[in-house]
Amino acid sequence: MRVQKLTFAALAVVAGLSLTACQNGDEDMGQSAPSSTSTASSTSGGPGSGGSDQDGGKDSAEKGSGGQGTTAGTGSSENGKVGKCRTDELEITAIDSTIDGDPDGTVAVELKNGGGRDCVLSGYAGVDLKTSSGSLSAKRTGEKATPMTLKDGKSVYFGINYPINTSGGSGIRITGLVVTPPDETKSVTLDWPGADTLPVTDGAGSVVKVGPMGSAGQGG
């Protein structure tokens, strides 16, 4: 009986040691869990690498989208429509185009597209003569003005018609020509290539007339 009691006692000691080992192992696992949670928090939720990476991806997407939008918006036309011709895109010159035997004089004004893109011209240019008596605005002939697309590098002409001074008097001296393209406010000042003077008239209205785009030599 003594041997049997000792055996039971030994078994009880071994069981106690096993229970203590299991409890210590459970405590160690419980300590490692907070460490894993902290690492997960820094990579997914907080203002660390997780939030920064997401924001960076968003910024990259926005920049990429903005770049494409900018490229699409820098075409030669807006919404698929050709824009109007600007004064700075046009090379404007004027020459005497009077035909012998005509009762009136004619100046042809050339507008050459040098803007690197096609553009639209529509209607009449503004024309003013600088004279010894002040500025004289040309009157439109009333011809139909048809909108046109002026290809890059191409030219269009319009005519200025004016009376020739045959009175024998000094008349009104012309000192310059001011041209404003259609729908523009910026003007270009040129030398006047026509006759030096206009006759003095007492009639109402301008004695100088301007035709629409494409009407060189047809004013009257």
Side-chain angles (χ1 to χ4, degrees):
M1 292 296 292
R2 181 178 176 82
V3 173
Q4 188 175 11
K5 287 180 179 180
L6 290 174
T7 301
F8 286 148
L11 290 173
V13 172
V14 171
L17 292 174
S18 299
L19 179 61
T20 302
C22 289
Q23 289 176 348
N24 290 338
D26 290 342
E27 289 176 359
D28 290 342
M29 290 179 64
Q31 291 175 357
S32 64
S35 176
S36 298
T37 302
S38 176
T39 302
S41 176
S42 67
T43 57
S44 62
S49 61
S52 182
D53 288 344
Q54 290 174 359
D55 291 342
K58 182 179 178 181
D59 290 343
S60 298
E62 289 177 351
K63 290 177 181 178
S65 175
Q68 292 176 359
T70 301
T71 302
T74 55
S76 61
S77 60
E78 182 179 354
N79 298 325
K81 297 181 180 179
V82 179
K84 69 178 181 179
C85 299
R86 300 290 186 178
T87 302
D88 291 338
E89 298 176 317
L90 299 171
E91 300 171 17
I92 304 176
T93 55
I95 61 170
D96 183 13
S97 186
T98 303
I99 298 175
D100 291 341
D102 281 357
D104 295 327
T106 301
V107 166
V109 178
E110 176 186 7
L111 286 75
K112 182 177 181 180
N113 184 1
R117 67 179 181 98
D118 297 349
C119 59
V120 172
L121 279 175
S122 178
Y124 287 76
V127 171
D128 296 279
L129 298 188
K130 291 183 175 182
T131 76
S132 56
S133 298
S135 180
L136 176 64
S137 296
K139 182 180 179 181
R140 296 178 178 182
T141 60
E143 297 174 71
K144 183 179 179 180
T146 303
M148 63 181 67
T149 298
L150 186 60
K151 298 291 186 180
D152 182 38
K154 299 298 182 180
S155 296
V156 66
Y157 300 80
F158 69 87
I160 302 172
N161 187 260
Y162 64 96
I164 296 175
N165 181 18
T166 58
S167 66
S170 59
I172 300 173
R173 185 167 58 88
I174 304 173
T175 60
L177 169 65
V178 180
V179 176
T180 308
D183 299 320
E184 281 289 273
T185 57
K186 186 174 182 179
S187 302
V188 173
T189 301
L190 308 172
D191 292 334
W192 173 251
D196 293 335
T197 63
L198 297 172
V200 177
T201 62
D202 296 327
S206 176
V207 295
V208 180
K209 296 183 180 181
V210 57
M213 294 294 118
S215 66
Q218 298 177 12

